[in-house]
């Protein structure tokens, strides 16, 4: 069964600090992995997408890494800002004709001043 | 703004009511989706439409009835819902249905917060 596990479930950090969110998956065959940011009361917004051959992808202060061998991904946020407070969702899509992605439960990040 | 709008943003309904959720995308995309997001649970894909044809019904109860009159509009008709159906309902669109190695991104609307009493 395809699964995506995210950790931690929630995280509180001070403004200006860095943090790393984790995503482990068992989706097979692997096609791509996305990280989304979802602000409270809003829909998810895509941050990064990585395919099998990509190890890292950056989007401003967000850097995602992918290890396809260990089936792990991380999202690193540098110099956090109050606006980074949101839920971060890892989504893995399978290949082989399937188009139904597998979503993680998300990590809730709170950035305090 | 993502180019995907949803109305209403909030809806409270009784179990015997009939209501509809509306989604409109202004991106020229060919695929549209309905998702359900419950507290502490991953997003659940409900329906997928490609060029106005339903291509996926992910074991959704018949009290949820989708309608896609054209590639820009998507509706979710609700009737005789249960309290456990209370959730955030998200609409999304993408250029095409992502299959194989496609990296097409889905653009989500802001969602409709549904409460069933």
């Amino acid at each position: 069964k395809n699964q995506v596990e995210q950790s931690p479930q929630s995280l509180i950090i001070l403004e200006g600090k860095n943090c790393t969110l984790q995503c482990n998956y068992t989706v097979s065959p692997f096609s791509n992995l996305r990280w989304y940011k979802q602000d409270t009361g809003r829909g998810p917004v895509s941050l990064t997408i990585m395919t099998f051959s990509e190890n890292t992808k950056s989007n401003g202060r967000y850097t995602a890494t992918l290890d396809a061998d260990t089936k792990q991904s991380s999202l690193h946020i540098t110099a956090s800002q109050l606006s980074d407070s949101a839920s971060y969702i890892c989504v893995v899509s399978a290949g082989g004709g399937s188009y139904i992605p597998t979503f993680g439960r998300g990590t809730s990040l709170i950035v305090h001043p | 703004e993502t180019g995907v709008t949803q109305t209403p943003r909030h809806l409270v309904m009784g179990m015997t009511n009939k209501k509809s959720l509306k989604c409109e995308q202004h991106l020229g995309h060919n695929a549209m989706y309905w998702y359900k997001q419950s507290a502490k649970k991953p997003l659940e894909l409900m329906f997928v439409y490609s060029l106005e044809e339903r291509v996926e019904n992910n074991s959704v109860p018949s009290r949820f009835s989708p309608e896609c009159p054209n590639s820009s509009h998507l509706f979710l008709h609700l009737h005789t819902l249960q309290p456990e159906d209370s959730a955030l309902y998200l609409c999304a669109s993408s250029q095409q249905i992502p299959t194989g190695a496609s990296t097409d991104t889905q653009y989500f609307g802001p969602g409709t917060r549904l409460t069933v009493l």
Side-chain angles (χ1 to χ4, degrees), chain A residues 31-32 34 38 41 43 99 105, chain B residues 9 37 40 55 98 100 103-104:
Chain A
S31 175
N32 58 73
R34 291 173 166 83
Q38 185 176 18
Y99 49 78
R105 295 174 185 266
Chain B
R9 293 294 309 275
Q37 187 175 36
K40 306 298 183 184
V55 296
T103 57
D104 228 10

Side-chain angles (χ1 to χ4, degrees), chain B residues 56-90:
Chain B
E56 182 66 34
N57 177 344
N58 202 19
S59 302
V60 179
S62 60
R63 57 185 184 270
F64 295 92
S65 175
E67 178 190 1
C68 188
N70 55 64
S71 59
S72 298
H73 294 85
L74 186 65
F75 294 89
L76 187 62
H77 304 299
L78 316 172
H79 63 97
T80 58
L81 293 191
Q82 304 298 312
E84 59 265 29
D85 296 322
S86 298
L88 181 68
Y89 288 85
L90 291 162

Side-chain angles (χ1 to χ4, degrees), chain B residues 4-9 22-24 34 89-91 109-112:
Chain B
V4 180
T5 58
Q6 290 187 242
T7 55
R9 293 294 309 275
K22 178 183 177 182
C23 174
E24 183 174 0
W34 278 117
Y89 288 85
L90 291 162
C91 173
T112 294

